[in-house]
Amino acid sequence: MPAEGGYPNTAPRGTAFAALDAMIRPRSVAVIGASDDATRIGGRPIAYMMNQGFAGAILPVNPNRATVQGLPAFASVTALTQVPDVAIVAVPGEGAVQAVADLGAKGCRAAIVFTAGFAEVDEAGAAMQDRLVAAARQHGMRILGPNCLGLFNAAVGFYPMFSTSFEQGWPIRGNIGIASQSGAYGTHLFATSRAGGLGTTVCVTTGNESDVSLGEVIGWMAQAPEVEVICAYAEGIRESERFIAALDLARRNRKPVVMMKVGHSELGGHAAKSHTASIAGDDAVTDAVLREFGVVRAGTTEQMLDIAYAASRRIYPAKNSLGVITVSGGAGVLISDAAEAMGVPMPQMPEEAQAHLKSLISFSAPRNPVDCTAQAVNQTEMFEHFLEVTAEAGGYQSMLVFLTQTGGSTTMAPKLRPYLKQAREKFADRLWVLSVIASPDKVRGYEEDGFIVFEDPTRAVAAIEAMGRFGAGFAAAAPEEVVVPQVSLPATTPTEAEGKRILAASGVPAVPEKACGSVEEAVAAAQSFGFPVVAKILSPDILHKSEIGGVILDLASVDAVREAHATLLSRAAERAPGARIEGVLIAKQIKGAVEMALGVARDPVFGPVAMVGLGGVFIEILKDVSFRRCPFGDAEAEAMIRSLKGFPLLDGARGRPKADVAALASALSALSRFAAGAGDRLAGVDVNPLLVLPEGQGAFAADAVIEIEDMH
């Protein structure tokens, strides 16, 4: 069984999704506030369902009419002669609260609340929304909304929605589902999809999310037979448990999720105190969570629908590579540039295959892109040969064929199409994409043959890259089992020395050091470590010591240690007069290491999130960092490290010795386990720098801050 709040791998009716089934795939629907006027909010859903042949019972509730749009009407919820699976609530204010209470008492399982004026307005509205939810929960009833535009499920003719978008056409049946926090933007996606010929069978908008959340809707789509590709629009993730469970279920069921997440802000609370938190921001954390589950993020409506269109073919190359056949050398360069920028590998054709193709057309350029020139389409048997040799010899998982107007030509397209179809059928496990300029009829013909078709080759490459990311996500091994320790935190934020001791006990080694209460202790410590050493002011109230000149490096003698001790105490008294001073910390100074930074920030939605990046001042300047939810194992930690643009500094760039990446990964995963076990009192951790020595010599924290939340 899944953890509480999670979802099973498959979920037929009667399981965790039964209430949403009743809401999205019902057999009967009551309309509270039903209108005889088909243009009003309470009238449109009835007109739409009657027009589209909803087979279930439609039960209008209107105390002032005997019939509504030709259907028998009921004076009240209590007067209903049957219990509806779901109800549409389209009455104002407290009337909506009463309607939900009456529906719950009747035994109705779900309500779609159009009514606005709740938490989106003011505190009084929020209080009324609380009463609405309480009335539903008293009877185990689920609420979509309030302030909700509704949903549609074209597979069953169910249209509990008051959008005018259907006036321009009904949904095209297909395998794409839309889950959106915004009603207007959700229907914008639907209308744009329809205009582009994409089939969007289901669209659900969540409104205020007083109960049913975006994550739950994605979870329902992840097991619903109507949906194979999920498009999601989010302004903010309000809860994490069901959202994460839904993304996990979609990945396990091989249903790609493409998400547009809008809005950017910094973490609240301790953002100003923690390097990690100030860099994270909730958008960066959300982005890390989406990557964790193989979700592809879109920045525009065009990108989202391009990706959904390509995904609807359900071919997701796990180890993607791109082979290109083009009739234009210029287009080949453009495609190559796009592929390199997007990280899509384009391996060269084998030398033997290149020689063979060049023997057919001496002026071709068969490396990859394979420029077959216009000669290959003039001699169509040559074109067939180029297609099949490139696919077979190159072994590419994705094939992009650039034909521009030739692919739409009334004289050439009929000759080329059979060869294209034959090649695609012979290599049916590959992702085949055409870049052509053609009439809608010719495009449909290519699509019927199994091709994805784009006019713009750069958009084609972007879609191919996204399919590879989906494939890699679906093929990813299950994450390592991670044991979370029980962590006992001190009552208040500890000093640097105590913080490093706590982290060392959890698996994050520290540089040899000693807290010294007197200058003589400092001298003795320096002599025991061997010169040079570092001296730092030791205070629980001075978290970022460099800001007050509280760190002195390269102390190479006893006299230098004595002078540094006096200087640090003087600076602390002058620049932080109210700080508690516990002495001076003497640490061995390590040379020849790569400075890295580790950290933990507590995200208000997703909990503790770990970070790794280049250390020192570079973390704030370059922001070359990677995030992941805690906890995780060494393998995921190493993947985070290798994803950094600065990874070559650890990997022996320019003759440098390779750094101990394994030790760095071990420290990062240990920090993630510590954070997961520390609980809500852990506000954040900064380990900066973590000094990574050459391979086999370890990694050691040179500075660390553990921030403890005051729970009083």
Side-chain angles (χ1 to χ4, degrees):
M1 292 294 291
E4 184 178 352
Y7 300 132
N9 188 39
T10 56
R13 295 182 78 127
T15 67
F17 292 106
L20 290 187
D21 276 334
M23 182 180 288
I24 304 171
R25 197 191 292 136
R27 290 159 297 191
S28 57
V29 54
V31 183
I32 318 304
S35 174
D36 199 51
D37 184 344
T39 66
R40 295 180 65 85
I41 287 177
R44 284 185 183 275
I46 297 171
Y48 293 156
M49 287 186 281
M50 292 175 67
N51 180 283
Q52 290 297 290
F54 176 61
I58 302 174
L59 311 170
V61 176
N62 185 322
N64 302 315
R65 299 190 65 89
T67 63
V68 169
Q69 297 187 42
L71 298 172
F74 299 86
S76 66
V77 170
T78 55
L80 290 170
T81 54
Q82 70 180 92
V83 178
D85 283 346
V86 65
I88 300 167
V89 177
V91 292
E94 292 291 348
V97 178
Q98 186 60 52
V100 166
D102 293 343
L103 286 162
K106 190 79 174 177
C108 182
R109 303 177 70 184
I112 300 163
V113 182
F114 291 170
T115 313
F118 288 91
E120 80 279 6
V121 175
D122 54 25
E123 289 185 7
M128 185 167 61
Q129 181 168 301
D130 289 342
R131 293 195 297 277
L132 180 84
V133 174
R137 287 183 178 164
Q138 183 180 355
H139 301 285
M141 185 180 179
R142 301 304 307 275
I143 296 291
L144 185 69
N147 186 34
C148 171
L149 188 60
L151 63 92
F152 68 76
N153 184 348
V156 294
F158 185 49
Y159 285 84
M161 182 175 269
F162 60 90
S163 170
T164 60
S165 57
F166 305 118
E167 293 178 4
Q168 298 183 54
W170 299 102
I172 299 169
R173 293 288 292 275
N175 62 359
I176 298 171
I178 297 170
S180 177
Q181 290 179 332
S182 166
Y185 204 81
T187 52
H188 175 78
L189 286 172
F190 147 66
T192 308
S193 300
R194 180 186 58 203
L198 295 186
T200 51
T201 295
V202 180
C203 175
V204 181
T205 69
T206 57
N208 285 8
E209 293 192 1
S210 67
D211 178 22
V212 174
S213 66
L214 182 73
E216 289 187 88
V217 175
I218 294 172
W220 181 87
M221 290 183 176
Q223 55 79 56
E226 296 96 321
V227 177
E228 292 291 346
V229 179
I230 302 168
C231 291
Y233 173 88
E235 294 163 2
I237 307 303
R238 293 173 172 83
E239 55 83 31
S240 63
E241 187 176 13
R242 291 188 181 275
F243 181 72
I244 288 169
L247 298 185
D248 183 53
L249 178 59
R251 180 173 61 178
R252 287 186 283 124
N253 286 352
R254 292 183 62 83
K255 293 194 179 183
V257 179
V258 53
M259 175 171 282
M260 185 182 295
K261 163 66 173 64
V262 300
H264 304 271
S265 65
E266 289 190 349
L267 289 174
H270 293 266
K273 295 183 180 178
S274 167
H275 291 302
T276 305
S278 63
I279 291 169
D282 66 1
D283 190 67
V285 173
T286 302
D287 199 55
V289 172
L290 298 181
R291 287 197 309 272
E292 179 184 347
F293 291 97
V295 176
V296 173
R297 190 168 178 180
T300 66
T301 302
E302 180 182 77
Q303 286 177 355
M304 173 175 276
L305 297 182
D306 280 356
I307 293 168
Y309 164 57
S312 65
R313 289 292 178 193
R314 303 180 65 190
I315 298 176
Y316 312 115
K319 295 181 179 179
N320 206 8
S321 60
L322 176 59
V324 177
I325 297 175
T326 176
V327 297
S328 161
V333 174
L334 176 70
I335 291 167
S336 298
D337 287 348
E340 181 175 326
M342 297 177 200
V344 182
M346 288 183 60
Q348 289 186 27
M349 286 280 285
E351 293 291 342
E352 185 178 343
Q354 289 190 48
H356 173 63
L357 293 176
K358 207 158 182 65
S359 72
L360 300 177
I361 300 177
S362 61
F363 46 86
S364 65
R367 290 184 62 191
N368 190 30
V370 176
D371 182 3
C372 64
T373 75
Q375 183 65 23
V377 295
N378 288 327
Q379 296 176 268
T380 52
E381 68 278 4
M382 291 287 191
F383 180 64
E384 174 192 14
H385 208 64
F386 268 77
L387 282 171
E388 296 199 358
V389 169
T390 302
E392 185 163 14
Y396 306 112
Q397 296 303 297
S398 297
M399 293 288 298
L400 173 56
V401 184
F402 179 82
L403 291 175
T404 186
Q405 296 100 325
T406 304
S409 163
T410 56
T411 57
M412 295 304 300
K415 298 177 183 179
L416 297 175
R417 183 178 169 188
Y419 294 124
L420 286 163
K421 183 178 181 181
Q422 179 178 305
R424 196 211 65 79
E425 289 175 346
K426 186 173 181 179
F427 301 95
D429 61 329
R430 316 290 174 86
L431 183 69
W432 285 86
V433 183
L434 294 181
S435 179
V436 299
I437 299 174
S439 67
D441 285 345
K442 285 190 171 61
V443 169
R444 277 193 296 273
Y446 286 129
E447 290 174 335
E448 288 168 3
D449 291 344
F451 288 91
I452 299 163
V453 183
F454 288 99
E455 284 191 359
D456 178 15
T458 302
R459 287 170 62 186
V461 174
I464 289 166
E465 186 273 336
M467 297 310 101
R469 272 197 277 166
F470 288 138
F474 296 151
E480 317 169 50
E481 291 290 335
V482 178
V483 177
V484 177
Q486 287 189 336
V487 174
S488 179
L489 294 176
T492 59
T493 294
T495 63
E496 177 191 345
E498 178 63 10
K500 283 194 280 191
R501 186 197 65 75
I502 293 170
L503 293 176
S506 297
V508 184
V511 170
E513 63 184 19
K514 184 178 180 182
C516 304
S518 68
V519 67
E520 297 305 328
E521 288 183 20
V523 168
Q527 290 174 323
S528 70
F529 295 145
F531 296 103
V533 296
V534 179
K536 308 177 187 180
I537 197 68
L538 192 59
S539 168
D541 301 321
I542 304 175
L543 298 182
H544 301 297
K545 293 171 284 297
S546 60
E547 294 176 3
I548 68 156
V551 180
I552 302 177
L553 306 173
D554 298 315
L555 303 177
S557 66
V558 168
D559 288 344
V561 171
R562 290 183 181 277
E563 183 179 346
H565 187 277
T567 299
L568 289 173
L569 294 178
S570 173
R571 287 175 179 172
E574 177 185 348
R575 300 174 188 178
R580 293 166 291 168
I581 306 301
E582 297 183 359
V584 169
L585 188 68
I586 300 296
K588 182 174 180 62
Q589 185 162 331
I590 294 178
K591 300 284 190 177
V594 178
E595 290 192 4
M596 299 296 292
L598 309 183
V600 171
R602 179 164 292 280
D603 184 81
V605 176
F606 295 108
V609 177
M611 176 216 73
V612 62
L614 292 176
V617 298
F618 295 110
I619 187 171
E620 293 180 332
I621 296 172
L622 301 179
K623 292 183 171 61
D624 179 18
V625 294
S626 179
F627 293 96
R628 198 185 192 284
R629 287 185 312 124
C630 302
F632 49 84
D634 287 7
E636 182 60 35
E638 184 165 336
M640 292 170 64
I641 295 161
R642 290 181 178 276
S643 73
L644 298 172
K645 294 177 183 176
F647 179 71
L649 293 174
L650 295 163
D651 200 36
R654 300 200 172 212
R656 298 168 61 99
K658 287 195 173 187
D660 200 335
V661 173
L664 172 57
S666 176
L668 177 57
S669 65
L671 180 63
S672 81
R673 295 191 298 274
F674 166 81
D680 294 344
R681 292 186 58 236
L682 181 68
V685 179
D686 278 315
V687 179
N688 184 19
L690 182 87
L691 304 175
V692 186
L693 291 168
E695 207 165 25
Q697 298 181 35
F700 303 92
D703 195 1
V705 174
I706 298 177
E707 292 185 64
I708 307 298
E709 185 76 55
D710 183 0
M711 303 301 287
H712 298 293

